[in-house]
Amino acid sequence: EPKDDGYGPYYTHEELRKQKIPGLDYLNREQYLSPYDFMATFKVKKSEFATWPKWKQTKAKRSAKLF
């Protein structure tokens, strides 16, 4: 069950890796991580990640098995 704080919904890293959530944008599934889970996964805030070049984002998502 997703968590929703008004910015979500958020899913766990494991839920996103399984790719079984209907209607989810799987090309950008990192956006469905909570701020806490995002920081734990990528070691940066979402706002900083968004400034990275696309190749660097893709590499990070592959390392996290979210691509």
Side-chain angles (χ1 to χ4, degrees), residues 5-36:
D5 63 359
Y7 299 101
Y10 298 128
Y11 297 91
T12 65
H13 184 257
E14 191 59 34
E15 288 171 320
L16 293 171
R17 286 185 61 218
K18 290 181 182 177
Q19 298 190 23
K20 294 187 178 189
I21 304 164
L24 198 72
D25 176 7
Y26 279 98
L27 294 178
N28 297 298
R29 58 188 144 161
E30 73 281 358
Q31 297 303 315
Y32 297 98
L33 289 168
S34 71
Y36 176 83

